[in-house]
Amino acid sequence: MSYTRVSATTFRLLAASLITSTLLTACSNDDAPAPSQKGTHIVIVEPKGQDKQTVDTHIIRSIQEAREAAVSISVGASVGSGFFINKDCLIVTNKHVVEFDSPALLNVSAAMDKADRETQVMRERIAAWEKRHPKYKGSDQHSVDQDKLRSMEKYRQELQQAYDKLSSEQRNASVQVKTLDGRTFAAHTVVKSEDTDLAFLVGAVKECRYFDAAVKTDPAVGQPTYTVGSPAGLEFTVTSGILSGIRDFEGVTLLQTDAAINPGNSGGPLLDANAKVIGVNTLRLSGMEGIGMAIPIATVKEQINRNLLLTSGSPSQPATSTASAKFDYDSYREDALRNAQPVAVDVSKLSEACEQDYVNSKYAAAMSSCKTSSSHGHQQGHFYMGKMLLEGLAGQQDYYLAADYMKKAAEAGIMEAQMLLGQMYQYGVGISPNSSSALKWLTEAANQNSKEALNSLGLIYKEGQIVYRSYEQAASYFEKAIVAGSTNALHNLGVMYLQGQGMTKNESKGFEHFLKAAQRGNPVSQLSVAYCYYKKLGVNKDYVEAYAWLTAAELNKKGKTITDWDPQRASEMKQFLKGIMNSKQLAQATAMSNDYVKRYSNVSTETSLAAKAGKL
């Protein structure tokens, strides 16, 4: 059986013991080298008796939080993973991540072996000829052979010097660690296990999220598993699978999973559905798909107990007086914090980068810079994090977290955040519907002349769902929204004129509003214009115009989720018009629709969360 290492290095199987798990917690050491304080546990409680959507949301949120305790580790060109294991920010990874194989070093080593063999052959040859042929010594041939031997010995010395230099460079290679919030810092390997593929690092970092080993659980074959790592340099990637088995290889216990473990995943955590660490990802079987192995977390705890002196106690038990031979991690960390350059975070630049990354659609980068900006209390960071999580950008969608970020941004006075938060309360997106909160935040945004907020308030009073219906109030808000530039409000006021809601019925004014909104690219308004031509509502009946606007509306709607679209009306109109129009009329209508699409496509866009209603 052969093994493929998840990072380019020498892999050695490890001895393991019990299988336990850990729970994500937070730590903060504010003033190094002050004595360590206990971290604040973030207890992730598994939902019981809940529907599948609630359970799925719980898992997603748990794993997203777990990513904050994972790190990406770079050693030269090699990339691996790791995670914080205690409140003092001790980092666990694979030994082979920080002992990466150097192709140049291997080549020089092979050349040295070859040179040793050839040099020895030359020495033996010279000695044999000197013994067998007395006249050989002092001859021209003897001089040539001696020169060749000296040249070979010199070459061997040069190889040794190259090997020593490369070895020194490897030993002193900078280990760079990066966290999910964008912090980077240098780390040093403090312990490499002698009998397992584990290494422990310390860096000049005061704060971290970490996995605490105080909570125990027994992994069960068949349970869901998740990995967090940096495969192919794609930092903090999450993959999922199940625990396929608990294997024993010549006395070495490993956890088997079919969650994807690829180059760069080495050293990262293997998690259960509650964000508890059950192992350290370490290898996958060569030539096999879906067979990865992880070191049980119990082995990590045993190695810490054996090799590290922690005054605050190891993850599983306090340090004892017999631990004097262990590595004094706490003292080493204090020195590292005292002597290292501080990890400076220019928050103003991060906030600028956050906005630029978002505007330029670099959502993966924005997730990092915006989260760091938000963690330092910057309103732009709150807002863009909320918006990305709301829209599911960068592969992450979490309405609950989006609501949390939006609340912070709204309270900081960001108009768009107030508008979105109001709609989230209005439609129950990520939070329970709340009429008073919806009105509060939409009014705050409307006071800053938000066209979306003004239009939303108009709809609230028009529909009378969370307040008493008032067509007068609705029309007033629609008028204000139109002045602010709202295309949707134009359409909504057109509906009120056409149906005579709270006002004298006026089909001409209704058509006029529909046409203006249609010319701004609103597909629903374009469908309404088509219907007006079709039914002679406020305009003369014209089947060619009806077909042209209907076709343009369908083309502009394509690929979009529009809650007010009436597919039955569109289908019935199209079927009737195609049956009554001749080929010349259809050709004319088609040409007109192409012109309308070119002139009135996506001219105006407005944010509405109506399509996400009820999504928690």
Side-chain angles (χ1 to χ4, degrees):
M1 183 177 292
S2 60
Y3 297 91
T4 295
R5 279 165 280 164
V6 190
S7 184
T9 98
T10 302
F11 175 79
R12 288 193 292 172
L13 289 176
L14 17 126
S17 53
L18 302 175
I19 302 172
T20 57
S21 65
T22 59
L23 184 65
L24 183 65
T25 60
C27 86
S28 174
N29 298 314
D30 296 325
D31 299 310
S36 300
Q37 300 295 322
K38 290 185 177 180
T40 303
H41 290 223
I42 300 177
V43 181
I44 301 175
V45 181
E46 183 176 2
K48 296 181 179 180
Q50 300 292 334
D51 57 37
K52 184 178 184 300
Q53 182 179 355
T54 301
V55 173
D56 289 346
T57 301
H58 160 78
I59 292 173
I60 292 170
R61 295 190 69 182
S62 298
I63 299 305
Q64 286 178 345
E65 287 209 29
R67 294 171 74 235
E68 298 179 14
V71 297
S72 177
I73 299 174
S74 301
V75 186
S78 179
V79 177
S81 304
F83 56 93
F84 295 110
I85 193 61
N86 68 5
K87 66 184 181 59
D88 291 321
C89 304
L90 176 68
I91 299 170
V92 180
T93 187
N94 286 147
K95 182 165 58 177
H96 71 255
V97 169
V98 292
E99 283 189 343
F100 67 98
D101 292 334
S102 167
L105 195 62
L106 294 175
N107 291 337
V108 173
S109 179
M112 288 170 60
D113 291 340
K114 182 179 180 181
D116 285 338
R117 292 193 300 271
E118 292 177 347
T119 302
Q120 184 61 27
V121 168
M122 178 57 70
R123 288 197 187 101
E124 291 174 355
R125 175 187 172 186
I126 292 174
W129 275 78
E130 286 177 345
K131 184 176 181 180
R132 296 175 186 176
H133 305 282
K135 293 184 179 180
Y136 168 71
K137 194 172 184 177
S139 66
D140 290 342
Q141 184 61 47
H142 184 263
S143 297
V144 170
D145 290 343
Q146 287 288 355
D147 288 343
K148 187 174 183 180
L149 177 61
R150 282 191 290 270
S151 176
M152 294 171 69
E153 289 174 340
K154 182 180 179 181
Y155 174 62
R156 176 60 178 77
Q157 290 175 353
E158 291 173 349
L159 286 174
Q160 185 65 54
Q161 291 172 356
Y163 183 86
D164 292 342
K165 181 179 179 181
L166 287 170
S167 296
S168 176
E169 289 176 353
Q170 177 169 310
R171 285 194 303 271
N172 298 319
S174 174
V175 178
Q176 294 294 318
V177 176
K178 183 178 181 180
T179 59
L180 181 66
D181 61 12
R183 290 176 296 161
T184 59
F185 55 89
H188 303 280
T189 305
V190 294
V191 168
K192 294 177 184 177
S193 172
E194 294 181 358
D195 52 2
T196 69
D197 187 27
L198 290 172
F200 301 92
L201 316 179
V202 62
V205 57
K206 295 181 181 181
E207 300 176 347
C208 64
R209 302 276 292 199
Y210 71 94
F211 294 101
D212 177 38
V215 177
K216 296 184 179 181
T217 187
D218 293 319
V221 173
Q223 74 176 64
T225 57
Y226 301 84
T227 72
V228 181
S230 302
L234 300 173
E235 298 168 341
F236 308 104
T237 293
V238 176
T239 63
S240 65
I242 63 169
L243 185 64
S244 308
I246 300 174
R247 306 298 181 188
D248 184 86
F249 297 101
E250 300 177 356
V252 175
T253 301
L254 293 174
L255 304 181
Q256 178 186 336
T257 180
D258 66 350
I261 297 179
N262 296 303
N265 277 115
S266 270
L270 180 68
L271 309 169
D272 69 9
N274 290 306
K276 300 173 184 175
V277 173
I278 59 175
V280 181
N281 301 318
T282 191
L283 63 90
R284 62 184 171 88
L285 295 191
S286 178
M288 305 291 288
E289 292 295 330
I291 302 182
M293 299 292 173
I295 302 169
I297 197 64
T299 302
V300 177
K301 293 166 59 179
E302 186 274 332
Q303 288 292 318
I304 292 175
N305 291 339
R306 183 194 304 177
N307 297 304
L308 293 171
L309 175 62
L310 303 176
T311 57
S312 57
S314 72
S316 59
Q317 65 183 35
T320 65
S321 59
T322 60
S324 58
K326 301 177 183 179
F327 184 89
D328 190 343
Y329 170 78
D330 291 297
S331 297
Y332 189 95
R333 180 172 182 270
E334 288 182 6
D335 290 339
L337 288 170
R338 185 183 301 112
N339 298 323
Q341 293 293 326
V343 182
V345 179
D346 190 334
V347 182
S348 61
K349 288 186 177 180
L350 278 172
S351 295
E352 292 175 8
C354 162
E355 185 170 7
Q356 290 174 1
D357 289 337
Y358 180 87
V359 171
N360 295 326
S361 301
K362 297 179 179 179
Y363 300 122
M367 275 287 180
S368 176
S369 57
C370 293
K371 189 161 191 176
T372 302
S373 174
S374 174
S375 69
H376 286 78
H378 278 227
Q379 58 188 33
Q380 290 297 101
H382 301 327
F383 172 64
Y384 286 114
M385 280 300 298
K387 201 165 184 182
M388 287 187 286
L389 291 168
L390 185 64
E391 297 301 326
L393 304 176
Q396 299 182 55
Q397 188 164 50
D398 189 322
Y399 297 124
Y400 287 112
L401 287 180
D404 290 340
Y405 281 113
M406 281 301 174
K407 286 176 185 175
K408 295 177 183 177
E411 288 167 355
I414 295 182
M415 180 186 72
E416 191 174 352
Q418 293 170 342
M419 178 273 295
L420 286 170
L421 185 59
Q423 289 194 14
M424 292 175 84
Y425 277 117
Q426 178 184 0
Y427 296 112
V429 180
I431 41 183
S432 299
N434 187 304
S435 58
S436 60
S437 294
L439 289 172
K440 171 191 173 183
W441 289 113
L442 287 172
T443 302
E444 290 278 356
N447 289 338
Q448 296 191 60
N449 208 35
S450 165
K451 62 184 180 182
E452 289 97 338
L454 288 164
N455 181 64
S456 291
L457 287 168
L459 286 172
I460 286 173
Y461 282 102
K462 176 177 177 287
E463 295 167 359
Q465 292 182 349
I466 62 176
V467 295
Y468 288 110
R469 177 175 287 152
S470 172
Y471 289 128
E472 183 180 356
Q473 282 275 67
S476 175
Y477 277 118
F478 288 145
E479 291 285 4
K480 292 176 182 178
I482 291 169
V483 172
S486 173
T487 298
N488 291 344
L490 266 172
H491 176 87
N492 292 328
L493 191 59
V495 171
M496 293 185 71
Y497 276 120
L498 192 70
Q499 298 180 359
Q501 295 175 326
M503 59 183 67
T504 303
K505 187 174 181 178
N506 190 325
E507 293 179 350
S508 295
K509 277 198 171 184
F511 174 78
E512 178 185 331
H513 281 74
F514 288 151
L515 184 61
K516 287 180 180 179
Q519 290 172 342
R520 293 187 185 181
N522 187 321
V524 176
S525 299
Q526 291 169 348
L527 178 61
S528 297
V529 168
Y531 191 74
C532 287
Y533 276 117
Y534 173 64
K535 287 290 187 178
K536 193 181 177 181
L537 298 174
V539 67
N540 292 330
K541 182 175 290 189
D542 190 326
Y543 289 151
V544 173
E545 283 281 9
Y547 190 88
W549 278 107
L550 172 59
T551 305
E554 290 178 330
L555 291 172
N556 285 337
K557 177 202 173 289
K558 192 173 182 179
K560 300 177 184 143
T561 302
I562 302 177
T563 55
D564 295 333
W565 180 264
D566 189 338
Q568 184 176 353
R569 171 177 289 184
S571 177
E572 290 175 353
M573 267 200 294
K574 192 162 194 174
Q575 186 176 359
F576 175 84
L577 292 170
K578 289 181 76 171
I580 200 172
M581 295 169 63
N582 58 40
S583 58
K584 183 178 180 181
Q585 289 174 315
L586 285 171
Q588 182 185 359
T590 300
M592 291 169 63
S593 69
N594 291 334
D595 179 58
Y596 292 158
V597 169
K598 187 182 297 184
R599 292 163 59 191
Y600 310 132
S601 176
N602 298 322
V603 178
S604 175
T605 58
E606 292 176 45
T607 303
S608 173
L609 301 185
K612 302 180 186 294
K615 292 189 177 180
L616 299 177

